[in-house]
Amino acid sequence: MDGTGQELGTLEELPPDYVDQLTKQYAAPAWPSLRDIIPYDRPVCRTQPHIWRYADLRPLLMRAGELTPMEKAERRVLMLSNPGLEPAPFATAGIFFGLQLILPGEMAPNHKHSPSAVRLIVEGEGGTTTVEGERCPMEKGDVILTPSGLWHEHEHLGAGPMIWLDALDAPVVVPLEASYCVAGTPQRPGNQPDASQTRYRRSGLVPYDGLGRPANDYPLKRYPWVEVRAALLDMAAGAGSADPVHLAYVNPETGHECMPILGFSAIMLRPGEERRLPRRSASTGYLAVEGEGETEIDGTSMSWQENDVFVGPTHAAIRHRNGSSKNPAFLIQVDEGPMQRKLGYYEEFEITD
Ligand code: 1HN
């Protein structure tokens, strides 16, 4: 039954010879499958609420380090594949998540590609990602941008494994048949600190020499977690107890989201805090940077700990709970908000019940 109370015509009701002729012309009537394209009231989602626990995945990633040398991998990544989207190796309909490992002394060679990638650092010390000659140290919780078309390579001169979560917009770029990669020769990074420590040291201040010029697309590649965490704690101290403590990663020159397709933001849940979110048109992924808690997505409850990754579909009802009554918990959120806002279909729905 249709939402108007009207039954739409089916393929079976049409004369078989007519359907045959259409098929031969590679054409088809829309009305028998119209509701597959535009279902009433909310999309039909294949993406399922799902959690990948770090305790389960870390040993498997370390094993990949033993099984597959870097020369055989180019990028040693385990793809987090949503059970509802198989065989596509995507975490949600719009987000690719992969856990990447490099070991001491290894290098992931220089390349660039049309999908954009963002690194959310999970574990380790002494690794760097070099983006267009800017060497970015990788520290736990850091967010590092490697936007579409920019050269990037990873190197690990420290001790112990270096592990991070890759967030790519590949589920958007691949089906649109626009995904490809170019291999490069090693970069020659300068030895000066990255822009978060120099030109964009503090929000509200931008280099004077940029005034009046067109804004740079990616002036800041690295957002150090120590700064983000401190900003969240200070925001919480100044906020009303019911206000969300939630900061978006933006381009410091424009104030716009830091990436064009995927959005990145950091959430602090106060000790004991429980928060129900308005349903939103974007799908969502989370990395638990610190703490423990429980998140319910469309009725599926998932308890998480540090470094776990969990996701939900578009239009989902989401509720977070900090499992500790003593300590704050911190999540990094990923969604397709920037793309949906640009295309004009981003929505938030009021909580009605
Ligand atoms: C890629 O190029 C990287 O550059 C990481 O580190 C993960 C997953 C799929 C395709 C390309 C990287 C990737 C990737």
Side-chain angles (χ1 to χ4, degrees), residues 74-75 77 79 96 98 100 108-109 111 113 115 117 119 146 152-154 164 166 168 170 181:
E74 187 173 318
R75 296 297 191 263
V77 174
M79 306 188 287
F96 172 102
Q100 180 161 177
H111 74 187
H113 34 72
R119 327 290 165 187
T146 58
H152 56 278
E153 65 195 8
H154 318 299
W164 63 88
D166 290 306
L168 276 79
C181 169

Side-chain angles (χ1 to χ4, degrees), residues 43 63 93 97 99 108 139 154 172 226 254 303 306 321 352:
R63 184 118 190 262
F97 275 152
L99 268 183
E139 289 172 16
H154 318 299
V172 176
V226 281
T254 63
S303 61
E306 191 169 318
R321 194 174 62 77
T352 47

Side-chain angles (χ1 to χ4, degrees), residues 41-51 82 92 275-284 286 294-302 310-320 349 351 353:
D41 296 329
R42 63 187 283 176
V44 176
C45 295
R46 293 198 299 130
T47 303
Q48 293 173 14
H50 191 77
I51 183 163
N82 192 287
T92 76
R275 178 164 296 278
R276 205 170 153 196
L277 308 183
R279 290 197 304 114
R280 306 173 328 123
S281 54
S283 75
T284 318
Y286 294 98
E294 203 169 60
T295 292
E296 189 185 305
I297 301 185
D298 283 342
T300 299
S301 186
M302 299 172 284
F310 51 100
V311 298
T314 60
H315 290 246
I318 301 179
R319 190 196 295 263
H320 297 302
F349 302 89
I351 298 170
D353 53 14

Side-chain angles (χ1 to χ4, degrees), residues 46-60 78-86 88-93 95-99 122 165-166 284-288 297 302-313:
R46 293 198 299 130
T47 303
Q48 293 173 14
H50 191 77
I51 183 163
W52 292 269
R53 294 200 166 82
Y54 195 59
D56 296 330
L57 279 182
R58 190 183 185 283
L60 296 171
L78 295 182
M79 306 188 287
L80 308 191
S81 310
N82 192 287
L85 295 175
E86 281 173 331
F90 300 146
T92 76
I95 303 168
F96 172 102
F97 275 152
L99 268 183
V122 168
L165 182 70
D166 290 306
T284 318
Y286 294 98
L287 169 66
I297 301 185
M302 299 172 284
S303 61
W304 42 263
Q305 296 186 330
E306 191 169 318
N307 300 334
D308 289 350
V309 177
F310 51 100
V311 298

